[in-house]
Amino acid sequence: MLICLLSAPVHSKGLRYGGSVGMLSIDSVDYAEGSSGEEDILRYGFVHTRPIDKNNNRWRWWFGFNYLDDTVEAPANGVYEEVTNYEFRLVPQYALTEWSIFTPYVGAGLSAGYTQYSNRWEVDDEGYKYGLQLDDISQFEVGLVATAGSVIKIGSNPNAHLQIIPQISYILPVYNDGLGGVELSISLLF
């Protein structure tokens, strides 16, 4: 019992938890009824990882859970829809170098999510909904993720500092054509 209590802090040393907010510029999806719109949507998430630096921890795993719920306005002769998405992201990242408080990195991994497309309508060339409401779509989606960003360390103790992480990601759908595009995000990890 005493060994378990003393070993827990050692194993958790350096773990980071935090939150993120990102702007996802989603790509259009082609349906039989027309294309969905391209939209900038806010996505919120939770992040778990370890510190990353040039000397000690060049590699780390980035675990993220993200959520979004928004409307995608339709282009002319396209499809209007409302989107709710739950996404889990697993991305190994590699530190390129270290400059003072900055540690730039790159990474590539997978995105797996469940998405609901609801309240779907065809839209005419003037932007008005017409006809019968289209069937909702609920599907599991997988995408490839490429990331680049920088860890910005706040504090002098490498095991206690806060991290601010600006990051750019590109998500390429590979299973079930769904949410993909460029995402700009910022995370705060403790």
Side-chain angles (χ1 to χ4, degrees):
M1 177 87 173
L2 183 58
I3 293 172
C4 292
L5 291 174
L6 293 176
S7 65
V10 173
H11 293 306
S12 64
K13 181 179 179 182
L15 296 180
R16 296 287 184 267
Y17 300 90
S20 68
V21 61
M23 177 67 73
L24 175 63
S25 295
I26 61 171
D27 294 335
S28 178
V29 177
D30 292 328
Y31 298 112
E33 301 84 4
S35 297
S36 67
E38 297 177 352
E39 193 81 30
D40 292 337
I41 295 178
L42 281 179
R43 178 184 287 206
Y44 303 95
F46 298 102
V47 176
H48 167 61
T49 191
R50 287 184 161 275
I52 187 172
D53 61 58
K54 178 185 172 186
N55 301 316
N56 300 324
N57 302 307
R58 289 187 83 104
W59 285 99
R60 74 167 174 191
W61 290 94
W62 176 280
F63 301 95
F65 179 76
N66 298 306
Y67 168 78
L68 69 82
D69 185 17
D70 211 332
T71 298
V72 179
E73 296 297 334
N77 299 310
V79 174
Y80 167 92
E81 58 192 2
E82 296 171 4
V83 178
T84 302
N85 170 258
Y86 303 90
E87 180 221 32
F88 178 73
R89 195 174 293 183
L90 175 62
V91 181
Q93 297 174 331
Y94 180 75
L96 300 173
T97 187
E98 189 173 20
W99 301 318
S100 180
I101 63 171
F102 301 98
T103 306
Y105 64 83
V106 294
L110 290 175
S111 161
Y114 175 75
T115 308
Q116 296 175 318
Y117 303 91
S118 59
N119 198 15
R120 302 175 68 240
W121 294 87
E122 288 185 68
V123 171
D124 63 21
D125 57 359
E126 294 183 9
Y128 295 104
K129 299 175 188 175
Y130 71 93
L132 298 175
Q133 185 173 347
L134 303 174
D135 292 337
D136 291 351
I137 298 173
S138 296
Q139 64 186 19
F140 177 72
E141 300 172 354
V142 177
L144 299 177
V145 180
T147 65
S150 180
V151 175
I152 302 171
K153 301 171 193 170
I154 301 173
S156 59
N157 182 343
N159 292 314
H161 60 250
L162 297 175
Q163 296 179 355
I164 297 174
I165 302 173
Q167 178 173 276
I168 184 168
S169 305
Y170 181 73
I171 302 111
L172 175 67
V174 293
Y175 177 76
N176 278 338
D177 199 11
L179 292 183
V182 176
E183 180 185 64
L184 299 172
S185 65
I186 188 159
S187 303
L188 177 62
L189 304 184
F190 301 91

